[in-house]
């Protein structure tokens, strides 16, 4: 190690972070330096909040959509990572103060500059977004970080180390943008680069997670009184102590309103596509710019893209309304997530977002004391007392027509009351159907805007999707002229339904010959129901799994993960003996038996229907190859039998909590021993190869090999029995009816 590096390694992490930022700044162009310093100054004067994250992801997508090479929405992929950076910068004067606050704001500024500088480098920006999304899964995002930070040297040091790696990653990206076109091409992030940065960040993130959980497990009030060092800090800095008390009170109030993750469904919806249709609508522009309370009701036929449109509206509002004191709250109902269809969940989540910009909620904290379950009226009363009467807010609410009538009847009056008390701009969507009873007189100054059947976005969407499929080789043609026939057939049959187009393209991509494709586009189904039926009929290559998968997903309280579904499908109802060999070796390929009617979220790895109308189609009496009608009773029975059998396994109370490295000879090694130490499929492959290579050495000790493989399994990611927590939750809350899981 060189002398400068040796000295640097002995410096404190906050100093090394400052050095990394200085080195980054030194490599900027003159114009970039001005932008960086402006960003840093703005962040220091007004610490970043969650709205800044939303604005940045919206800005990324707006720039990307203007590129001729990229039209896909990837901004939400950055959300988790950016929230971690924002929270670090927002610690600010609350806990770090002085020069360290400027350093933390510098991290936010350089991350912002790096992403906006590289967004138009389409050659690898989408790959970069995937890397950042993966990093974001473990990024340190803890609401109570401001309270935990002063209490642990390990936590403080680990946070600085984490963001040193973040700055190095951004510096790496900066150097790529400064190279020639050829240099950029050859310098695209390699797998080794990605693995290096990701592994370092994951390592520090795990340390931060463990320390944070340890601190949160302790009694904070008790620690405040007993920790002499902490009392000394408080007495020496009254301002910081006061701010921490306010922060603690604010967290308590926000948690009483809601702990529901409202961002998850919005991100999934926003990734589905871009649209600018609403920006050309006079009704929308008038609604957005009005000075008094008003409502905008967006209508459209089934599958016309209402949810995607409202997800884009959220981005547009965040970019249009720059003030941090005017919140843009949103909620997207999802049929597969029953909690999202509850009036209290919806209103509580919206209330939490409206309260976020308020720095001091200590004056209303007493309203939630000893009230773990605030009613709708209690939440409304809280808003009235906490928010000023001239408070201006925007609320975007999608999918309300998915809620039961009783839930809507409970929620809508409170929304109208909010319009009367505050300046509320409310935007909702609903499907044009006889059963939907949403009326303009239920809101103040309501206007209806309709998504046209001849939607101009359809043509652009078809061309963009076909282009992307060809470039990714998902759509392979022998005759290039066939693409024009496909485009024409999709335009003719779409009838304003984006969902219909998406499903047809996916079906076409699955075909193997030009002849099959040409035959398919000449007889495309006209309706969504016909499309669903045809997809299930063609995809039913595995009668053993198709119906059961559909049943489990239909009655799940919230979307099941691929890991949970893998274990559930490995259960044979009535057989209470757990056998690992029954687990699916490839759950993703098994899901293809349901065709393109299922989608797996790239971040959460949850499985859900591609659209809520699929579930309705199934429950209207769809029959599988055995001619047995699909029913909610049958689906519940299937889930019931699966959970009862699963919880009857005799292995959950007898697992070992420590790892021992025994001597294991290759010859007699039983599969159960190997399976007990193996984690994911990559480890399985590695172990299998080592065993294969040692086949000529029957007395070779493979114990160290098993231990080595085990060491590479990240316990925080690989949970041995992923279905267990949801199954037990169901047994406690609603025995043997549906699969429920705690919403985290």
């Amino acid at each position: 190690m060189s002398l400068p590096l040796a000295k640097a390694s002995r410096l404190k992490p906050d100093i090394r972070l400052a050095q990394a930022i200085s080195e980054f700044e030194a490599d900027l162009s003159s114009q970039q330096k001005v932008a960086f310093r402006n960003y840093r100054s703005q962040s220091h004067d007004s610490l970043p909040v969650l709205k800044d994250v939303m604005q940045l992801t919206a800005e990324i997508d707006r720039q990307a959509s203007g590129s001729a090479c990229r039209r896909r929405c990837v901004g939400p992929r950055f959300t988790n990572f950016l929230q971690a950076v924002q929270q670090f910068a927002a610690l600010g004067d609350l806990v770090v103060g002085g020069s360290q606050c400027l350093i933390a704001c510098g991290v936010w500024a350089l991350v912002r500059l790096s992403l906006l500088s590289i967004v138009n480098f389409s050659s690898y920006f989408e790959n970069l977004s995937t890397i950042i999304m993966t990093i974001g899964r473990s990024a340190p995002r803890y609401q109570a970080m401001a309270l935990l930070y002063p209490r642990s040297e390990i936590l403080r040091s680990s946070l600085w180390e984490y963001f040193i790696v973040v700055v190095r990653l951004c510096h790496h990206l900066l150097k790529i943008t400064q190279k020639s076109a050829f240099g950029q091409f050859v310098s695209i992030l390699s797998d080794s680069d990605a693995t290096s940065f990701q592994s370092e960040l994951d390592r520090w993130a795990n340390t931060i997670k463990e320390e944070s959980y340890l601190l949160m497990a302790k009694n904070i009030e008790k620690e405040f009184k007993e920790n002499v060092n902490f009392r000394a800090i408080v007495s020496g800095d009254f301002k910081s102590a006061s701010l921490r008390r306010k922060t603690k009170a604010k967290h308590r109030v926000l948690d009483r309103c809601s702990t529901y993750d409202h961002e998850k469904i919005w991100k999934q919806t926003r990734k589905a596509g871009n649209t600018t249709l609403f920006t050309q609508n006079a009704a929308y522009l008038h609604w957005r710019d009005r000075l008094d309370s008003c409502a905008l009701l967006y209508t459209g036929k089934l599958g016309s893209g209402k949810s995607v449109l409202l997800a884009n509206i959220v981005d547009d509002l965040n970019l249009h309304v720059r003030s941090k004191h005017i919140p843009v709250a949103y909620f997207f109902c999802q049929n597969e997530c029953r909690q999202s269809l509850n009036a209290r969940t919806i209103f509580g989540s919206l209330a939490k977002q409206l309260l976020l910009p308020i720095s001091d909620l200590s004056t209303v904290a007493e309203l939630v004391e000893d009230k773990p379950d605030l009613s709708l009226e209690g939440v409304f009363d809280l808003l009235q007392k906490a928010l000023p009467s001239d408070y201006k807010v925007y609320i975007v609410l999608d999918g309300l027509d998915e809620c039961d009538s009783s839930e809507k009847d409970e929620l809508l009056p409170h929304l109208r009351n909010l319009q009367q008390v505050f300046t509320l701009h409310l935007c909702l969507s609903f499907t044009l159907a006889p059963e939907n009873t949403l009326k303009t007189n239920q809101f103040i100054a309501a206007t209806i805007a309709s998504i046209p059947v001849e939607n101009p976005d359809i043509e652009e969407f078809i061309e963009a999707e076909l282009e992307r499929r060809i470039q990714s080789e998902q759509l392979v043609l022998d005759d290039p002229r066939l693409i024009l026939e496909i485009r024409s057939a999709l335009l003719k049959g779409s009838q304003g339904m984006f969902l219909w187009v998406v499903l047809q393209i996916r079906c076409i991509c699955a075909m193997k010959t030009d002849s099959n494709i040409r035959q398919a586009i000449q007889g495309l189904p006209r309706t969504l129901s016909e499309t669903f039926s045809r997809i299930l009929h063609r995809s039913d290559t595995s009668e053993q799994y198709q119906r059961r998968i559909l049943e489990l997903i239909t009655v799940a309280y919230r979307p099941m993960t691929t890991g949970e579904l893998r274990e559930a499908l490995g259960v044979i109802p009535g057989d209470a003996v757990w056998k690992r060999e029954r687990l699916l070796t490839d759950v993703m390929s098994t899901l293809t038996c349901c065709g393109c009617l299922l989608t797996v979220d790239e971040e959460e790895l949850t499985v859900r229907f591609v659209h809520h109308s699929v579930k309705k189609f199934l429950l209207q009496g769809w029959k599988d190859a055995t001619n047995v009608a699909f029913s909610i009773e049958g689906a519940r029975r299937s889930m019931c039998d699966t959970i009862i059998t699963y919880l009857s396994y005799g292995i959950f109370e007898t697992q070992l909590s420590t790892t021992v490295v025994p001597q294991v000879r290759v010859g007699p090694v039983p599969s159960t021993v190997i399976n007990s130490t193996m984690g994911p499929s990559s480890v399985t492959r590695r172990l299998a190869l080592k065993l294969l290579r040692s086949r000529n050495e029957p007395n070779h000790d493979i114990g160290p090999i098993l231990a080595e493989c085990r060491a590479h399994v990240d316990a925080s990611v690989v949970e041995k029995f992923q279905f267990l927590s949801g199954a037990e939750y169901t047994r406690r809350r609603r025995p043997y009816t549906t699969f429920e899981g705690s919403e985290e």
Side-chain angles (χ1 to χ4, degrees):
M1 180 182 292
S2 64
L3 184 59
L5 288 176
K7 289 182 178 180
S9 65
R10 292 194 293 269
L11 295 175
K12 292 182 178 180
D14 56 332
I15 297 177
R16 287 189 284 112
L17 178 58
Q19 288 180 335
I21 295 174
S22 297
E23 292 169 1
F24 175 90
E25 184 178 0
D27 282 344
L28 295 173
S29 66
S30 298
Q31 186 177 359
Q32 288 174 325
K33 285 180 180 177
V34 172
F36 169 72
R37 290 165 185 168
N38 286 338
Y39 289 153
R40 182 173 58 187
S41 177
Q42 292 169 7
S43 300
H44 188 262
D45 294 341
S46 179
L47 296 177
V49 295
L50 284 176
K51 187 172 183 178
D52 290 289
V53 173
M54 295 292 291
Q55 287 176 341
L56 181 51
T57 58
E59 197 170 345
I60 288 172
D61 272 321
R62 178 164 291 186
Q63 284 193 23
S65 64
S67 169
C69 300
R70 289 192 60 260
R71 298 178 183 176
R72 189 180 181 191
C73 170
V74 296
R77 288 180 171 181
F78 296 91
T79 301
N80 290 353
F81 171 73
L82 288 174
Q83 284 180 355
V85 181
Q86 174 266 321
Q87 286 184 5
F88 178 65
L91 288 174
D93 291 332
L94 183 62
V95 289
V96 294
S99 60
Q100 290 186 341
C101 178
L102 190 62
I103 294 172
C105 291
V107 175
W108 170 260
L110 70 84
V111 168
R112 175 184 173 85
L113 178 66
S114 299
L115 294 180
L116 292 178
S117 298
I118 207 168
V119 67
N120 290 321
F121 289 82
S122 57
S123 55
Y124 64 91
F125 184 73
E126 188 161 334
N127 291 336
L128 172 66
S129 70
T130 303
I131 295 170
I132 297 296
M133 180 185 68
T134 305
I135 292 172
R137 290 194 183 109
S138 63
R141 298 178 299 136
Y142 303 100
Q143 181 175 292
M145 184 62 74
L147 298 173
L148 302 176
Y149 183 89
R151 296 161 47 77
S152 169
E153 177 61 33
I154 295 176
L155 180 61
R156 293 194 294 273
S157 177
S158 299
L159 270 172
W160 292 109
E161 295 287 358
Y162 183 92
F163 287 103
I164 288 173
V165 182
V166 169
V167 174
R168 285 173 42 217
L169 171 60
C170 291
H171 201 168
H172 180 81
L173 299 176
L174 173 68
K175 290 178 179 179
I176 291 178
T177 64
Q178 294 173 337
K179 293 184 178 181
S180 64
F182 178 75
Q184 292 168 7
F185 176 76
V186 298
S187 298
I188 291 177
L189 281 177
S190 66
D191 289 340
S192 59
D193 290 327
T195 302
S196 175
F197 287 120
Q198 184 179 330
S199 61
E200 282 191 80
L201 290 170
D202 283 345
R203 178 164 58 89
W204 289 115
N206 285 333
T207 303
I208 294 167
K209 177 181 178 181
E210 292 171 2
E211 186 67 11
S212 298
Y213 282 4
L214 178 63
L215 293 171
M216 286 188 286
K218 295 179 180 179
N219 187 312
I220 294 180
E221 291 295 340
K222 182 179 180 180
E223 289 292 309
F224 271 34
K225 296 177 182 179
E226 297 180 355
N227 191 314
V228 177
N229 292 331
F230 187 80
R231 288 204 305 271
I233 294 174
V234 171
S235 61
D237 190 348
F238 177 78
K239 177 184 177 183
S240 294
S242 175
L243 287 173
R244 280 191 286 271
R245 284 196 296 271
K246 290 180 181 179
T247 301
K248 185 179 177 184
K250 182 174 182 177
H251 290 168
R252 187 164 61 250
V253 171
L254 295 179
D255 284 344
R256 289 293 191 275
C257 289
S258 176
T259 57
Y260 178 82
D261 183 1
H262 65 282
E263 295 177 341
K264 187 185 303 181
I265 300 177
W266 173 82
K267 288 193 293 183
Q268 294 170 351
T269 307
R270 181 64 185 88
K271 290 176 188 177
N274 299 309
T275 179
T276 57
L277 179 68
F278 58 91
T279 62
Q280 305 162 30
N281 188 296
Y284 169 76
L285 297 176
H286 180 66
W287 167 84
R288 188 186 67 179
D289 298 332
R290 279 187 66 153
L291 300 178
D292 56 346
S293 290
C294 53
L296 179 65
L297 310 182
Y298 251 108
T299 68
K301 64 192 302 184
L302 194 66
S304 60
K306 297 182 296 298
S307 296
V308 173
L309 184 139
L310 262 66
N312 277 263
I313 284 178
V314 171
D315 270 357
D316 182 73
L317 291 174
N318 277 306
L319 291 175
H320 179 75
V321 184
R322 286 290 178 174
S323 172
K324 295 182 180 182
H325 303 293
I326 301 178
V328 177
Y330 59 90
F331 195 95
F332 284 69
C333 301
Q334 188 181 74
N335 193 274
E336 291 90 345
C337 182
R338 298 186 191 179
Q339 189 178 2
S340 73
L341 306 179
N342 177 269
R344 172 61 180 83
T345 300
I346 297 171
F347 196 72
S349 177
L350 293 172
K352 180 177 182 178
Q353 297 173 66
L354 299 185
L355 292 169
L356 271 175
I358 307 300
S359 58
D360 186 5
L361 292 175
S362 55
T363 56
V364 295
E366 61 183 19
L367 296 177
V368 302
E369 291 294 341
D370 303 320
K371 293 180 181 178
D373 298 314
L374 279 179
S375 63
L376 268 171
E377 291 72 19
V379 175
F380 183 80
D381 185 49
L382 181 66
L383 289 175
Q384 280 189 295
K385 289 181 170 60
L387 302 178
S389 58
D390 60 348
Y391 203 52
K392 182 176 181 178
V393 299
Y394 288 84
I395 289 180
V396 178
L397 177 54
D398 176 67
L400 191 59
D401 48 359
E402 290 300 307
C403 301
D404 292 338
S405 297
S406 59
E407 300 293 340
K408 286 187 284 189
D409 292 342
E410 188 176 6
L411 175 65
L412 291 179
H414 286 87
L415 292 177
R416 182 182 175 88
N417 290 339
L418 282 181
Q419 284 190 296
Q420 294 174 332
V421 176
F422 308 107
T423 303
L424 170 59
H425 291 61
L426 180 63
C427 179
L428 303 96
S429 70
F430 65 97
T431 302
L432 291 173
E435 63 270 19
N436 292 333
T437 58
L438 213 56
K439 304 294 182 183
T440 56
N441 59 11
Q442 294 175 283
F443 308 98
I444 295 176
T447 304
I448 293 180
S450 300
I451 298 178
V453 174
E454 299 296 328
N455 191 335
D457 282 348
I458 284 278
E459 182 174 359
E460 183 179 351
F461 176 77
I462 290 173
E463 291 180 356
E465 277 297 294
L466 291 177
E467 179 181 334
R468 187 171 68 86
R469 303 280 178 163
I470 291 174
Q471 290 176 343
S472 64
E473 298 185 353
Q474 296 178 54
L475 176 58
V476 181
L477 304 174
D478 185 51
D479 181 0
R481 296 172 298 179
L482 181 56
I483 194 66
L484 298 179
E485 298 178 39
I486 296 173
R487 176 184 174 277
S488 177
L490 292 174
L491 276 173
K492 183 179 179 180
S494 64
Q495 302 179 68
M497 295 182 291
F498 284 89
L499 176 60
W500 183 90
V501 171
V502 169
L503 295 177
Q504 306 310 324
I505 291 178
R506 290 180 181 177
C507 291
I508 290 171
C509 289
M511 296 176 180
K512 307 301 181 184
T513 68
D514 285 7
S515 176
N516 289 342
I517 293 176
R518 186 167 278 113
Q519 183 179 357
I521 62 177
Q522 289 174 353
L524 291 175
R526 294 186 176 184
T527 66
L528 286 174
S529 294
E530 187 181 347
T531 300
F532 299 155
S533 180
R534 187 176 297 187
I535 289 172
L536 289 174
H537 175 72
R538 290 177 176 175
S539 305
D540 189 13
T541 57
S542 176
E543 295 182 9
Q544 179 182 1
Y545 292 113
Q546 187 193 69
R547 186 183 186 91
R548 195 166 175 209
I549 290 173
L550 295 174
E551 289 176 335
L552 295 178
I553 293 176
T554 295
V555 297
Y557 181 77
R558 48 89 175 156
M560 298 173 68
T561 66
T562 53
E564 291 168 341
L565 195 57
R566 175 177 180 252
E567 290 184 8
L569 293 174
V571 174
I572 297 179
D575 187 346
V577 179
W578 180 77
K579 295 181 180 179
R580 184 182 179 88
E581 56 265 29
R582 289 176 180 166
L583 294 178
L584 295 170
T585 56
D586 188 352
V587 67
M588 299 300 290
S589 64
T590 305
L591 293 177
T592 60
C593 68
C594 299
C596 52
L597 298 186
L598 300 180
T599 182
V600 179
D601 180 66
E602 61 181 3
E603 289 189 59
E604 305 293 332
L605 298 180
T606 50
V607 185
R608 65 186 194 280
F609 291 121
V610 70
H611 193 261
H612 61 82
S613 56
V614 177
K615 179 176 178 179
K616 292 182 178 179
F617 162 77
L618 293 173
L619 295 176
Q620 287 173 352
W622 169 75
K623 295 182 180 180
D624 60 12
T626 62
N627 204 35
V628 176
F630 193 95
S631 67
I632 190 67
E633 293 79 13
R636 286 174 175 166
R637 191 182 311 112
S638 177
M639 179 68 83
C640 167
D641 294 343
T642 299
I643 290 178
I644 292 176
T645 302
Y646 184 85
L647 293 179
S648 298
Y649 288 158
I651 57 174
F652 298 126
E653 302 298 329
T654 59
Q655 298 176 74
L656 295 177
S657 59
T658 58
T659 302
V660 179
V661 182
Q663 283 196 347
V664 184
R665 304 300 172 186
V666 175
V669 62
S671 62
T672 52
V673 175
I674 295 177
N675 288 334
S676 69
T677 62
M678 290 192 303
S681 58
S682 59
V683 178
T684 304
R685 291 193 299 269
R686 180 180 175 187
L687 179 57
L689 288 173
K690 286 196 173 187
L691 287 172
L692 186 64
R693 290 164 185 164
S694 62
R695 63 191 183 282
N696 295 324
E697 303 176 50
N699 293 321
H700 180 66
D701 180 13
I702 64 166
I705 298 177
L706 299 178
E708 180 187 1
C709 292
R710 182 65 179 179
H712 286 78
V713 180
D714 186 352
S716 67
V717 177
V718 180
E719 182 182 354
K720 187 161 187 177
F721 296 104
Q722 299 182 47
F723 188 56
L724 180 59
S725 61
E728 288 183 330
Y729 184 83
T730 299
R731 180 178 59 182
R732 294 192 302 268
R733 291 288 302 275
R734 194 179 302 171
Y736 313 128
T737 55
T738 60
F739 173 79
E740 298 187 358
S742 57
E743 292 289 338
E744 299 178 352

